[in-house]
Amino acid sequence: MKSTGLNINFQENAWWFIIANDQILLQPQGDFIPYGNLDDLPLSAELVINKIKLGVYQSSPCYLVTLPEQHDLGFGEYDDLRFLLGRVDDLLFEMAGRAFQIKLFYQTHQYCGQCGEKMHPINWEIAMKCYHCEHRCYPRISPCIIVGIRKENKILLALHRRHQKSNNPIYTVLAGFVEAGETLETCIHREVYEEAHIRVKNIEYVASQPWPFPHSLMMGYIAEYDSGDIKIDQKELCSADWYEMNNLPNVPNHGTLARQLINKLVNQSGQQTAPLSME
Ligand SMILES: [Zn+2]
C-alpha cells in the first residue's frame, strides 16, 4: 500500500486514523482521534509508509495508517469503531468510517478478480488497478434502504433476530439491501412486503447515512401504510407490530438514521398526539 500521491507536509498538523486488527487507536480525551504533527507522534517511518489521505476535518488533513498489528505507541488504546458512534460529531465519525472502509478495500483487493494478477494502488485516486488486464476497482459501497412506516398514530417497528438475545432489545424500522437493477423505490416496496407482508404509499426521502459496518450507505425514507395485514419474514424478524407514537418501546440511539426517521414520524404526528419526551 502506498500514499495516494497527495503531497504530505510533515510539519503540518493532521488527524491520524491508526487502524490495526479492525480496531482504531484512540486517545482517552477530547476528540479521541490523535491529532498533531507527524514528527511529534510516536510513529516510526516504517509504520507510516502506507498512509492514505482520507480528506479534511476542521481544516486539517486526515490520514489513514494501517498497522500490521496493534503496536503500543505509548498513548491511547485500540477500540472498535462503534465506540465513536454518538461520542464524536457526525463529520468525524464519518471520517473514521471512511478510514475503516478504505482499509478494508485495500485489504480485500490485493488480487484482480478478473485475471488473478496482483493489483496496484492508483496514485491519484482511491482505486486499485490490474496492469495485466486493466481491471480497476473502487471501494465497495452497498446501498440499503431504511423506511419508517406510519399508520394513523402508530409506527411499524420490528424486532430483528440479531437483537433478540439482548437484555434490552431494540425495536426498529425496516431496512434492506438494494438488489442489482432495482430502483430505491422498488427496493422499498419489495423489502417491506418481504419482511412484513404489507404495502406502503406516499414514500418520502428524508436523509442518508454512511454505515461502515462494513460498507453500507443507508438511504432513509418515511412512508404511509397502504394495505395488508402484518405477516413477518421469520428468517429475519422475531416480531413486527404497530406501536403508538406516545408509547414506543426501546428504539435505536440518537445518531442513527433509524432514530431520525422515528423522530420525524413522531414530530409529524405532533398535531394529533401529545408530543413525546424523547431523549
Ligand atoms: Zn487482471
Side-chain angles (χ1 to χ4, degrees):
M1 207 184 299
K2 293 175 183 167
S3 153
T4 52
L6 297 159
N7 290 329
I8 293 171
N9 177 352
F10 287 86
Q11 298 305 312
E12 187 180 24
N13 283 333
W15 300 91
W16 297 90
F17 296 78
I18 301 163
I19 299 178
N21 300 355
D22 292 326
Q23 290 193 311
I24 184 165
L25 184 63
L26 300 176
Q27 292 187 311
Q29 278 117 23
D31 292 309
F32 298 104
I33 304 297
Y35 177 82
N37 184 309
L38 185 64
D39 291 341
D40 296 337
L41 292 172
L43 286 165
S44 68
E46 66 187 44
L47 288 178
V48 296
I49 201 159
N50 52 14
K51 59 191 171 304
I52 306 283
K53 178 142 186 210
L54 296 167
V56 172
Y57 175 72
Q58 291 184 348
S59 306
S60 294
C62 301
Y63 292 106
L64 162 65
V65 176
T66 304
L67 303 182
E69 56 189 82
Q70 294 190 352
H71 292 271
D72 181 5
L73 299 179
F75 71 99
E77 289 189 2
Y78 292 89
D79 209 330
D80 296 334
L81 174 59
R82 279 184 192 272
F83 174 84
L84 292 176
L85 188 60
R87 288 189 168 91
V88 295
D89 72 41
D90 290 350
L91 287 176
L92 191 56
F93 181 75
E94 282 168 23
M95 196 65 78
R98 177 167 163 76
F100 273 82
Q101 287 184 239
I102 288 171
K103 175 243 172 204
L104 180 68
F105 166 67
Y106 285 113
Q107 180 185 316
T108 55
H109 289 76
Q110 297 291 309
Y111 295 93
C112 178
Q114 184 161 263
C115 77
E117 289 290 319
K118 188 102 176 106
M119 300 277 274
H120 300 277
I122 290 172
N123 67 4
W124 54 272
E125 61 178 353
I126 293 180
M128 292 288 269
K129 184 173 179 181
C130 171
Y131 289 96
H132 185 71
C133 75
E134 302 292 311
H135 182 51
R136 187 183 292 209
C137 293
Y138 295 89
R140 180 176 163 194
I141 297 169
S142 302
C144 298
I145 60 87
I146 178 165
V147 56
I149 303 167
R150 174 183 56 229
K151 181 184 182 186
E152 297 161 354
N153 287 334
K154 296 175 181 171
I155 300 179
L156 180 71
L157 295 174
L159 176 59
H160 284 78
R161 294 225 165 264
R162 64 179 178 277
H163 293 146
Q164 182 184 12
K165 289 181 182 162
S166 161
N167 291 331
N168 193 16
I170 293 170
Y171 292 76
T172 190
V173 296
L174 300 182
F177 286 103
V178 180
E179 293 189 348
E182 256 183 347
T183 65
L184 300 173
E185 292 80 2
T186 307
C187 178
I188 291 167
H189 288 295
R190 178 184 55 75
E191 279 289 341
V192 169
Y193 192 75
E194 280 178 6
E195 293 196 359
H197 214 253
I198 61 168
R199 303 288 185 190
V200 292
K201 61 184 179 183
N202 297 336
I203 294 168
E204 181 187 331
Y205 175 73
V206 176
S208 65
Q209 182 179 42
W211 194 244
F213 305 104
H215 42 58
S216 300
L217 172 62
M218 312 287 286
M219 284 162 288
Y221 293 81
I222 54 174
E224 286 177 42
Y225 166 80
D226 183 33
S227 61
D229 294 323
I230 293 174
K231 195 172 104 187
I232 61 165
D233 172 3
Q234 296 191 339
K235 289 197 298 294
E236 297 211 17
L237 304 180
C238 298
S239 68
D241 211 339
W242 299 106
Y243 290 85
E244 293 282 351
M245 293 198 196
N246 57 6
N247 189 24
L248 293 177
N250 190 27
V251 294
N253 287 335
H254 285 288
T256 62
L257 184 53
R259 181 60 173 266
Q260 191 180 338
L261 300 175
I262 292 167
N263 285 357
K264 188 171 178 74
L265 289 175
V266 170
N267 290 338
Q268 275 190 348
S269 74
Q271 295 162 340
Q272 300 144 29
T273 52
L276 272 180
S277 60
M278 302 181 86
E279 291 170 29

